[in-house]
Amino acid sequence: MKNFIVIFREPDGRTIEHSEEEIKSHQLNWKSWLEKTGSSGKLKGGSGLTLDGNMITQDGVIHNNIHTVGKEIIGGFLLLNCVNLDEATEIVKSCPIFEFDGYAEVRELIN
């Protein structure tokens, strides 16, 4: 078995309007998906991320904000334990991140 990180990139939720109904449905889809993935024994951890943070550049300057690319942020991550990259990718394909125009990057951890 190998360890993988899934990095979720998504539009900054502060810049996009969604109805309360859409948000509630999305949250329920996440809950259901995480329960299903967790029950498979493949999910080893993860978390959403706050929008607060510091960015430190190579010259030592500390910026009181997070890295964004346009209006895109890293919204969270998961840790998976799978046989290979294909299995980890297959698990992530059904993730609710895609409902609100997000995407996921799956990468093997160096152990």
Side-chain angles (χ1 to χ4, degrees):
M1 297 296 271
K2 298 178 179 182
N3 294 308
F4 296 87
I5 188 167
V6 181
I7 301 166
F8 294 113
R9 300 174 190 269
E10 57 193 328
D12 184 342
R14 298 170 293 185
T15 64
I16 297 174
E17 294 289 325
H18 294 287
S19 71
E20 284 186 41
E21 185 176 302
E22 289 173 318
I23 292 169
K24 186 174 183 176
S25 176
H26 186 64
Q27 290 170 337
L28 289 172
N29 290 344
W30 266 106
K31 182 179 183 209
S32 175
W33 186 82
L34 287 169
E35 287 172 356
K36 179 182 173 187
T37 305
S39 69
S40 74
K42 303 292 181 180
L43 179 61
K44 298 302 177 187
S47 180
L49 301 172
T50 71
L51 296 174
D52 297 320
N54 289 331
M55 186 170 42
I56 303 127
T57 56
Q58 71 184 55
D59 56 1
V61 175
I62 299 170
H63 302 271
N64 187 15
N65 59 14
I66 60 172
H67 178 73
T68 60
V69 177
K71 294 180 180 179
E72 177 187 286
I73 61 169
I74 296 175
F77 70 98
L78 291 179
L79 299 173
L80 299 175
N81 188 257
C82 297
V83 173
N84 56 34
L85 179 60
D86 290 338
E87 180 184 31
T89 301
E90 191 63 32
I91 290 169
V92 176
K93 278 176 39 177
S94 63
C95 177
I97 190 71
F98 308 109
E99 293 174 354
F100 282 179
D101 297 325
Y103 62 98
E105 180 179 348
V106 182
R107 297 175 63 182
E108 185 177 349
L109 297 174
I110 299 173
N111 294 324

